Amino acid sequence: MPSLLYEIGCEELPSSAVYEAVEQLPGLCAEHLGAEPDELFAGPRRLAVLIHELAAETAESWVQGPPVRVGEQAAEGFARKLGVSRRDLVERNGVLGWVKPAQPIAETLPERLEAILRGLSFGKSMVWVAGGMRFARPVRWQLALLEQDVVVGDGSFGHRFTSGPIAIPSAGAYAETLRAHGVEPSLAERERLIREGLDGLGAWSDPMGKLAEVVNLVEHPVVLEGTFDERFLALPERVAVTAMQSHQRYFPLGGARFAFVANGGDAALVRTGNERVLEGRLEDASFTFERDLAVGIDGLAERLPAITFVAGAGSMADKTARLQRLVQSLGGGEASLEAARLAKADQAAELVREFPDLEGHIGAEYARSAGYPEGVCQAIEEHYLPDAAGGQLPASEAGRVLATAEKLDNLTVAFSLGQRPSGTRDPYGLRRAAIG
């Protein structure tokens, strides 16, 4: 029984699309090839499956036609549609049909592989040629090998920057050939290499869960260490960490050190470039942080009437007023009421416009700087919790009351405007709000 390799080569895929394909490919292979892949390879520029023992022939199959009672005209039309003679049709339980004979698998592979390609679906897809197929990114090449025999395409590609077109000698030699040309095709192996490299640099953290994304951003992972000016340590830790992770996918190492994953290249040059980029991010964060502090949280709150919450639901100032009423109705105390008044102030902050992940947290920092009680600051920080299924809940009573009011208002406003979740679509996070 021959081995089959099928590779789909693309422009750089989003990490989410890689995971979507990994979920779908086993089922599609089972449906169209009669076997799940023994090995599955996935990365930013390619998706591939390897089946070690594929049946050499397709099985006989029954193609059902019309009932016998509808007459000869229907039977002859069915036979013409299949390209067979009327005499080739047989009757089973009062129904005509055709027994499709077994065929060499190589003869049917192109159409089966095309069905796999077109069967892949993504949350976000595109069409790059008028009238063309939809895919997460443009498909640039395909390769199918049945042992050493080429069925589709004529070759593959190595690392984008250090290699070029390459020949794959056989299906079984796929992974080792790619590795020899600067590409690690295994998602699991890339993750292992990255973790090993990070561990070698000391204690590292990934508070925003960027590792799962970074694994699919590189074909040849190289973990490097960088540093930044210690004056940026004066920033709140979470601000510095968000600047590292949100845009750059860096991993904090503590102090003025960080780790990043490169896609090969000259280590010194790549390190210098990444350090320069991060220093720019931290410079911007420091500048906007100082500007926001100069305005103060009360000054930021005064700007909320100019910020729309949701079209049809007023401004952030209107949202604040509703939160205050809800907190009062829920029996919240003085800390909850004061936190409700200030909870949305950071929506006017320049730092939140730059790093939306800081909302709530940076508002709490600004409230502390203004001298508000810790109970008020903690409630501001907690009012978005839980922010994921099974996520952390608010620890303080004031935080629980304000978080409840926040979610009740979001649900009420969205449903009153007809913005209900449907199927897998829930752009306003209403299910998460209800669960919270």
Side-chain angles (χ1 to χ4, degrees), residues 208 210 213 241-250 354-357:
M208 298 177 70
K210 294 297 182 179
E213 181 183 2
V241 167
T242 301
M244 289 184 212
Q245 289 223 296
S246 181
H247 295 294
Q248 304 308 130
R249 285 88 172 171
Y250 296 158
E354 178 72 15
F355 301 109
D357 294 306

Side-chain angles (χ1 to χ4, degrees), residues 244-284:
M244 289 184 212
Q245 289 223 296
S246 181
H247 295 294
Q248 304 308 130
R249 285 88 172 171
Y250 296 158
F251 302 96
L253 294 173
R257 300 166 60 235
F258 69 98
F260 62 96
V261 183
N263 194 24
D266 178 78
L269 185 63
V270 172
R271 180 182 293 108
T272 300
N274 280 272
E275 288 175 340
R276 186 178 298 123
V277 168
L278 180 57
E279 292 241 347
R281 289 285 184 189
L282 291 172
E283 194 73 64
D284 289 344

Side-chain angles (χ1 to χ4, degrees), residues 259-413:
F260 62 96
V261 183
N263 194 24
D266 178 78
L269 185 63
V270 172
R271 180 182 293 108
T272 300
N274 280 272
E275 288 175 340
R276 186 178 298 123
V277 168
L278 180 57
E279 292 241 347
R281 289 285 184 189
L282 291 172
E283 194 73 64
D284 289 344
S286 182
F287 178 73
T288 54
F289 178 68
E290 294 297 333
R291 281 172 62 99
D292 289 340
L293 279 181
V295 175
I297 192 165
D298 289 290
L300 293 172
E302 292 173 2
R303 298 176 178 178
L304 293 180
I307 302 174
T308 300
F309 169 51
V310 173
S315 68
M316 277 294 180
D318 298 320
K319 164 84 170 177
T320 296
R322 291 195 300 270
L323 285 179
Q324 289 176 290
R325 290 194 296 270
L326 279 167
V327 164
Q328 197 162 27
S329 299
L330 291 166
E334 187 176 326
S336 300
L337 286 167
E338 189 72 336
R341 182 180 73 84
L342 299 172
K344 299 303 174 186
D346 65 6
Q347 296 300 307
E350 293 184 39
L351 195 56
V352 168
R353 284 199 289 273
E354 178 72 15
F355 301 109
D357 294 306
L358 288 173
E359 62 181 7
H361 174 79
I362 204 62
E365 288 290 334
Y366 294 157
R368 288 188 184 97
S369 296
Y372 281 95
E374 182 57 29
V376 172
C377 302
Q378 186 174 354
I380 294 172
E381 183 156 12
E382 294 178 333
H383 84 280
Y384 287 109
L385 300 179
D387 55 6
Q392 180 184 349
L393 298 175
S396 67
E397 181 179 347
R400 289 193 290 271
V401 173
L402 182 54
T404 301
E406 162 77 4
K407 290 161 181 57
L408 285 171
D409 183 66
N410 289 345
L411 289 163
T412 304
V413 167

